[in-house]
Amino acid sequence: MTLQGKRVLITGASGDLGRAMAHRFLGLGADLALQYRSNAAGLEPVLDAAKEAGREAFAVAADLADAGGAERLAAAVQERWTELDGLVNNAGGARPQAFDAIAPEEWEQSLRLNLTAPFRLMQLLLPELKARAGAVVNISSVAALTGGAFGPSYAAGKAGLIGLTRSAARDLGPHGVRVNALAPGPVESEMTSSLAGPVLDGIIASTALRRLVGPGEIADAAAFLLAAGTAVTGQTLTVDAGRHFS
């Protein structure tokens, strides 16, 4: 499996999953555009690794939960690259909330981050993806299938992302662009560590393997979907230690 010379944009690159994917893609020979919201320090090891490997990597600050954030990110990437081999829509998140505690503005912000931003980035970067018959990997969540522990706005956004993946795969396939989704969970991350101990213990106990998923395992799956160069499109690959069986 190789990504040699491929240009890949990763959103949410400074988080646990984003960094794992960035290091994995670098190891496979990719050049990287790395979106982050505020944790620039989290990307320093990735940028250092890229320099050491002789690969191109640059960081772009953009808040994808804000209106216009996706547009600013796309413009920054297009300023550097006229062609794109891969887009990984990884930025996302939520905080656990009861159903009746979610304010309308929080609902809208969550959907902008988890669903609208991936849609806009695919739309805005389509010319660059078409130029290289590129691939898109949308990072959904097993919460889209189970309801999850992070509340309805997160589950709804991630479920919508699976629907978007299927629709985009049909529309973009004639252009040679493949679109797939990953449904991770529960992953060793800052997000899962925010859950109350008994809640997390219950989630782990519900998995067939009785463990969390490592970020590196998600990175390997994403690399496969980017590098496959096969007829795989419109699919959702669940990597969740056996929490949900479809």
Side-chain angles (χ1 to χ4, degrees):
M1 183 166 62
T2 181
L3 293 174
Q4 190 66 40
K6 303 293 187 182
R7 292 175 168 177
V8 181
L9 166 60
I10 306 172
T11 69
S14 64
D16 300 283
L17 283 185
R19 287 195 304 269
M21 288 189 286
H23 283 293
R24 181 67 171 129
F25 299 170
L26 281 175
L28 293 171
D31 297 318
L32 302 177
L34 305 164
Q35 178 271 337
Y36 70 98
R37 182 175 64 87
S38 59
N39 183 21
L43 287 178
E44 290 177 4
V46 177
L47 296 172
D48 289 343
K51 186 176 181 179
E52 190 171 316
R55 305 308 315 175
E56 179 183 6
F58 61 96
V60 180
D63 189 345
L64 298 181
D66 283 350
E71 286 76 8
R72 288 189 289 274
L73 172 59
V77 173
Q78 289 163 333
E79 188 175 336
R80 296 282 291 262
W81 292 341
T82 59
E83 299 175 327
L84 189 64
D85 297 281
L87 166 61
V88 181
N89 281 310
N90 170 64
R95 60 189 181 91
Q97 283 183 294
F99 193 96
D100 58 356
I102 301 171
E105 57 271 20
E106 291 176 306
W107 172 269
E108 295 292 341
Q109 187 178 53
S110 178
L111 290 184
R112 275 199 303 271
L113 175 61
N114 293 300
L115 181 56
T116 303
F119 163 71
R120 284 296 287 147
L121 287 172
M122 282 191 283
Q123 194 177 53
L124 292 163
L125 293 170
L126 183 56
E128 289 73 23
L129 288 165
K130 287 165 62 176
R132 297 283 277 259
V136 178
V137 178
N138 291 320
I139 306 299
S140 179
S141 170
V142 72
L145 309 173
T146 66
F150 289 95
S153 61
Y154 182 73
K158 293 301 189 180
L161 192 54
I162 290 176
L164 175 63
T165 295
R166 293 170 177 165
S167 179
R170 288 192 181 278
D171 283 356
L172 306 186
H175 302 291
V177 177
R178 296 182 300 109
V179 186
N180 291 289
L182 274 174
V187 179
E188 294 174 1
S189 67
E190 184 178 341
M191 188 170 170
T192 54
S193 68
S194 70
L195 293 171
V199 174
L200 183 57
D201 290 343
I203 290 174
I204 293 172
S206 73
T207 67
L209 298 180
R210 301 296 192 271
R211 69 172 179 87
L212 297 174
V213 179
E217 294 174 295
I218 305 303
D220 287 343
F224 163 74
L225 291 174
L226 286 177
T230 66
V232 179
T233 193
Q235 304 303 308
T236 298
L237 177 58
T238 303
V239 186
D240 68 346
R243 176 159 163 74
H244 171 82
F245 296 107
S246 57

